[in-house]
Amino acid sequence: MIVRLVSAFMVAAVLLTLLTLFVPQWLNGAWVVLCGLLVIGFGYLAFVYVRKTMTLLKNSKKDNPS
């Protein structure tokens, strides 16, 4: 899992470097897109973690009916 994450960050860094070198006029738009993707990613992670937490709490209440 960590290897995939690091690989994805390395590929993203190379693509961003190529973007800044060859088409710097697109850089402002690229930052807006990257910020949007970051917000969407954080929102998705928050949704998934809240759902998993609710499932764990629900299962723990079933296992321990005290």
Side-chain angles (χ1 to χ4, degrees):
M1 181 69 181
I2 294 295
V3 174
R4 288 183 189 171
L5 188 63
V6 171
S7 299
F9 281 134
M10 289 174 64
V11 168
V14 168
L15 289 176
L16 186 62
T17 303
L18 290 173
L19 179 75
T20 59
L21 288 175
F22 294 111
V23 281
Q25 65 271 18
W26 291 357
L27 194 55
N28 287 336
W31 287 121
V32 171
V33 170
L34 288 174
C35 288
L37 289 174
L38 185 67
V39 167
I40 291 170
F42 280 148
Y44 176 73
L45 284 176
F47 173 74
V48 168
Y49 283 130
V50 166
R51 193 173 67 183
K52 283 186 179 185
T53 303
M54 293 300 205
T55 304
L56 285 172
L57 289 173
K58 192 177 185 182
N59 288 340
S60 70
K61 287 182 181 179
K62 284 181 183 177
D63 294 339
N64 297 327
S66 56

